[in-house]
Amino acid sequence: MSRYFLYFVTLSILINAILFVPRILIDERYDGAISSMLFGVIIGGALMYLFTSSMFKFRGQGLPEIMRQALPKSIVVPLLLLMGSVSFISGALVLINYAFIVSRYLIPNTPIYVVLILFVLVASFGAMQSSQTVLYSTEMILVLCLPFLLFSIFKAYTNQNMNYDEIRAMIDYSNILPSWKSLSVSTYAVTGYISLSIFNRVFADIPKLKHRWAVPCIGFSILFTAFFVPIGILGTDGVNDFIFTWVSTADAIRMKYAFIERVVYIFLLVYLGISYLFAMTTWHVGSEFIRGCFSHYQPNTSSINSVLPNAISCIVFGIGTVIVGNWLGEDDLFSVSSYWMMIRSPLDICVVFSVYILSRWRQAL
């Protein structure tokens, strides 16, 4: 069962490293982006280890139950509403981002709100399932998608247009200290461990989480690839001319002897599944946080009465996602995403240390 934890962390790294991180870090490529990737995964790995160790002291409990036992209701309800909203916003940004990609590259004549409505309906249906169903869906889709994604990355590294001199030129800027923007973006990419705040309920029988040391390694390797491969293919300066950096990078890769000539089609199909998974898990976590605000709180078991609070929260945030996505432009989306990550990182740090304090308090009793 501990493999599911690695699935969630890897999912968070993949979705952020391809959709958001390249564009934002490339804007900061001369101002500490390279060092931020190293510092970001170290900080994220330390927070992950502290959070998971603390949560595992509350066997079979999610964060809503833990907070309700230790804190007064007047504090618990606003905190759960905040954490639920934060989780919903994370998934919404991914849906809006991928809707822009689909609207631009696959169905340019379709209004963005139509694409968003379809995405929201599918993500909401998945989010309303039980936590165990979400786990099984994540494993199934991620295992199917990862081989194709690894194949796309392999084709990128072996592409004849890959210019390693451009990458070596960027190494000269690796000694520049990162800005808060680039550091928060790199740290945000490895925040998938926050999902354990809900899925800890189904990890009750696990003696300990194995292979946590692999999370910073996976995070750095994916961030490294997401940052340097577009620079190697599109050029140090030319990479700045593209909004959806990795889609343009995949579009520049060809498979001469394959029945699908352009890698971009494989890439878009893979990230359709990964975007759905990320939105489903974050909206499931968000709806469970909001469900915890009610006095007759029970974890989601997929029964009608159990699903109703999740459905209401998904409907509210789904409508908001469609409205905001239809209002934002492509440039606005990346500006909002970068500011969101700068705000989200301190919130995650507060959550981690709060859970650590609660675990120490429980141990002292």
Side-chain angles (χ1 to χ4, degrees), residues 6 24 61 112 121 229 250 264 276 317 321 359:
L6 291 179
I24 298 172
Q61 291 183 296
I112 189 70
L121 289 175
V229 167
V264 68
Y276 162 70
F317 280 95
T321 299
S359 68

Side-chain angles (χ1 to χ4, degrees), residues 278-328:
F278 185 82
M280 177 184 67
T281 55
T282 53
W283 282 24
H284 176 78
V285 170
S287 61
E288 286 295 307
F289 276 134
I290 294 176
R291 169 199 290 275
C293 298
F294 299 101
S295 56
H296 299 291
Y297 169 75
Q298 290 182 346
N300 183 3
T301 59
S302 291
S303 64
I304 296 298
N305 293 334
S306 179
V307 166
L308 187 58
N310 297 60
I312 294 173
S313 56
C314 286
I315 290 171
V316 171
F317 280 95
I319 293 173
T321 299
V322 174
I323 293 173
V324 173
N326 192 51
W327 172 69
L328 286 176

Side-chain angles (χ1 to χ4, degrees), residues 6-22 94 142 145-146 149-150 153 189-190 218-219 221-223 225-226 246 267 270-271 274-275 277-278:
L6 291 179
Y7 290 155
F8 286 123
V9 175
T10 303
L11 178 63
S12 176
I13 296 172
L14 286 175
I15 198 68
N16 289 293
I18 299 300
L19 292 185
F20 298 118
V21 172
V94 167
L142 200 57
C145 289
L146 276 178
L149 180 61
L150 293 174
I153 294 174
V190 293
I218 295 172
S221 60
I222 295 177
L223 285 176
T225 297
W246 253 94
F267 181 84
V270 167
Y271 264 87
I274 292 177
S275 298
L277 277 183
F278 185 82

Side-chain angles (χ1 to χ4, degrees), residues 15-148:
I15 198 68
N16 289 293
I18 299 300
L19 292 185
F20 298 118
V21 172
R23 176 68 271 157
I24 298 172
L25 286 185
I26 283 169
D27 289 340
E28 302 274 319
R29 62 192 182 280
Y30 301 124
D31 300 310
I34 298 176
S35 60
S36 74
M37 291 189 289
L38 179 60
F39 291 134
V41 296
I42 292 175
I43 295 172
L47 293 173
M48 177 271 302
Y49 189 86
L50 183 63
F51 184 77
T52 53
S53 299
S54 301
M55 284 297 299
F56 259 55
K57 293 179 181 178
F58 300 93
R59 287 290 178 176
Q61 291 183 296
L63 192 53
E65 300 97 282
I66 298 170
M67 294 175 65
R68 289 167 69 92
Q69 292 172 4
L71 300 173
K73 187 175 180 180
S74 58
I75 298 177
V76 170
V77 171
L79 287 178
L80 290 178
L81 285 174
L82 174 63
M83 294 176 67
S85 300
V86 165
S87 191
F88 268 107
I89 293 172
S90 297
L93 287 175
V94 167
L95 290 180
I96 294 171
N97 192 302
Y98 200 81
F100 274 114
I101 293 175
V102 169
S103 181
R104 168 177 281 214
Y105 290 95
L106 297 179
I107 44 176
N109 295 325
T110 303
I112 189 70
Y113 68 86
V114 175
V115 181
L116 269 175
I117 289 173
L118 294 175
F119 283 178
V120 164
L121 289 175
V122 175
S124 298
F125 176 77
M128 289 186 293
Q129 306 305 310
S130 66
S131 296
Q132 204 154 16
T133 302
V134 173
L135 285 178
Y136 296 150
S137 301
T138 300
E139 180 175 37
M140 182 176 61
I141 298 177
L142 200 57
V143 168
L144 288 175
C145 289
L146 276 178
F148 294 102

